[in-house]
Amino acid sequence: MPALRRPSRATTICLILAAVLPAAGVFAVQQGPAAGLLPQATWGGWRSQEVLHWSAHIRVNAWAHAAEAEIHMGKAESITLKAYGGDAHGTTNMDPTAFTLTPDGKLTGHELPSAD
């Protein structure tokens, strides 16, 4: 009976990479960091919401744990939040307001004390 050959170091490294790289890719998409690279068709439709007299348009990604929001007060000021895998935070200048967007599409805001 022939002796079993031990795989070479290069073969072992290739096998490990073949297992790890796809798993890392799936993790990046599911957890959100790669959501900006996902096809446009994976994003749901924009929904409108009003938060503290600010208008917001929010959409959630169907494949990844991610959401995007465009928040504006008329044409005076606007901000964009992208919650890819974790909460996104933003603050407006004109009317000091802090916003938080979660990856599931929940947008909250609270007014900040004015600097006057």
Side-chain angles (χ1 to χ4, degrees):
M1 182 180 314
L4 295 175
R5 257 189 62 198
R6 188 172 175 201
S8 69
R9 184 174 291 171
T11 303
T12 304
I13 290 173
C14 287
L15 290 173
I16 290 171
L17 287 176
V20 171
L21 289 179
V26 168
F27 177 79
V29 169
Q30 290 298 323
Q31 296 302 316
L37 304 175
L38 290 172
Q40 194 66 20
T42 64
W43 290 93
W46 291 97
R47 65 178 167 83
S48 296
Q49 178 180 339
E50 187 170 316
V51 178
L52 298 175
H53 61 268
W54 289 81
S55 297
H57 302 289
I58 305 163
R59 67 181 182 167
V60 178
N61 193 286
W63 287 6
H65 195 55
E68 296 180 345
E70 306 220 352
I71 307 162
H72 58 89
M73 182 182 280
K75 293 183 180 182
E77 186 174 8
S78 65
I79 63 170
T80 300
L81 298 178
K82 296 181 179 186
Y84 294 165
D87 293 355
H89 305 279
T91 306
T92 60
N93 295 323
M94 183 184 81
D95 184 19
T97 306
F99 292 99
T100 300
L101 175 67
T102 63
D104 62 353
K106 182 180 177 189
L107 179 67
T108 57
H110 67 276
E111 293 181 0
L112 300 173
S114 61
D116 296 338

